[in-house]
Amino acid sequence: TLAWLEFRRVLFRSAGAKDYIIKPYDLKKILYTIERDFEKIQRNSSETKKIYDIMLGSTKEMIEIYKSIGHFSKTMNPVLVSGESGTSKELFSKIVHNFNKKENGEFLVINGELSDFADKLIFGEEVYHNNILIELKKSYLEKAHKGTILIKKIENLKLETQIKLLDFLETGIFTRVNGKENLSRNVRIILSSNKNLDELLEGNFIYEALLEK
């Protein structure tokens, strides 16, 4: 169906592919595509293989993933993605972002392991000297307006930052570090972790109210 073809197009493009070929095969188109994009295919071969592996999935579990992508892509609600390393959590997040044609914002990634810097990356920073603004560092929330931010390894994010993130999710409003002005943005936040939900809660790795959001 047209919907399935569109879904496949988004999947491939989320992995970095520039084109794809469907049955029945057209030999001329295949040769043209290979010649045109050979260098790009080489650079993206690893990601292309990941998405190809996903496309072959037709199990109940994979069908549920397809349904989840369709559901999450329709809203800007926050999403938590958990799973072991190598389960393509970032790829899933890219697909959710790309599947919504109405979005025109960026897809940005923050690693929670950079906890000392994550606060300033997410919310931005204003640097003052003698009460005079000398440097303004825009936040990822500003850069990704109407887009998506993936925060990887959320369990490593400082509690204070998690609480500020919860405030933003509830109000859509935030303030840069050392900032004096409230800012409003519309951004989908996707949190990812190698730990499952029980491990996150039992180990106090995540602010419980953030999960309830």
Side-chain angles (χ1 to χ4, degrees):
T1 65
L2 289 176
W4 174 239
L5 290 175
E6 174 63 14
F7 182 69
R8 294 200 301 182
R9 182 191 69 79
V10 174
L11 285 172
F12 276 101
R13 297 243 168 126
S14 296
K18 297 300 180 184
D19 205 346
Y20 65 97
I21 298 170
I22 60 176
K23 296 180 180 179
Y25 300 129
D26 183 327
L27 182 57
K28 289 184 179 180
K29 183 175 181 179
I30 292 174
L31 293 175
Y32 170 76
T33 302
I34 291 174
E35 183 178 0
R36 185 192 62 187
D37 292 330
F38 182 73
E39 291 184 2
K40 294 179 181 179
I41 290 172
Q42 281 186 316
R43 288 197 297 268
N44 296 300
S45 59
S46 176
E47 286 298 312
T48 303
K49 183 181 184 302
K50 286 181 184 179
I51 198 64
Y52 181 73
D53 290 342
I54 286 180
M55 288 307 303
L56 294 178
S58 59
T59 63
K60 290 182 179 179
E61 291 80 4
M62 290 309 304
I63 290 174
E64 287 303 313
I65 289 176
Y66 299 150
K67 289 180 179 178
S68 297
I69 290 171
H71 171 73
F72 293 132
S73 68
K74 293 177 181 178
T75 73
M76 297 296 279
N77 293 337
V79 180
L80 172 66
V81 184
S82 65
E84 298 177 358
S85 297
T87 51
S88 300
K89 295 183 289 294
E90 184 170 342
L91 183 59
F92 172 89
S93 303
K94 285 182 181 179
I95 296 168
V96 170
H97 169 76
N98 289 333
F99 203 68
N100 190 341
K101 291 182 178 179
K102 294 180 180 179
E103 293 180 359
N104 55 14
E106 292 189 52
F107 176 87
L108 301 177
V109 180
I110 295 175
N111 194 328
E113 290 185 315
L114 304 173
S115 57
D116 291 336
F117 305 100
D119 191 56
K120 294 177 181 178
L121 287 175
I122 297 172
F123 301 104
E125 181 183 18
E126 296 178 11
V127 181
Y128 288 85
H129 179 69
N130 293 332
N131 208 32
I132 298 174
L133 179 65
I134 60 173
E135 186 176 6
L136 190 155
K137 300 177 181 178
K138 281 194 172 183
S139 66
Y140 272 35
L141 291 174
E142 293 168 83
K143 295 175 182 178
H145 181 53
K146 295 185 179 179
T148 302
I149 295 176
L150 168 63
I151 303 177
K152 302 168 67 173
K153 298 188 177 180
I154 183 65
E155 64 271 17
N156 293 320
L157 204 63
K158 288 182 178 180
L159 179 61
E160 300 94 310
T161 305
Q162 292 188 31
I163 293 174
K164 288 174 64 176
L165 187 60
L166 176 62
D167 288 340
F168 169 74
L169 292 174
E170 290 179 337
T171 65
I173 297 172
F174 69 98
T175 305
R176 300 189 191 103
V177 176
N178 301 321
K180 301 178 180 180
E181 179 184 359
N182 288 335
L183 303 173
S184 177
R185 294 294 186 274
N186 183 21
V187 181
R188 176 192 292 109
I189 302 294
I190 300 181
L191 311 174
S192 78
S193 175
N194 295 338
K195 301 180 183 296
N196 61 40
L197 188 58
D198 290 336
E199 290 175 324
L200 287 172
L201 290 173
E202 291 173 5
N204 293 318
F205 290 113
I206 191 167
Y207 189 47
E208 187 170 353
L210 188 59
L211 290 179
E212 293 174 355
K213 179 61 181 177

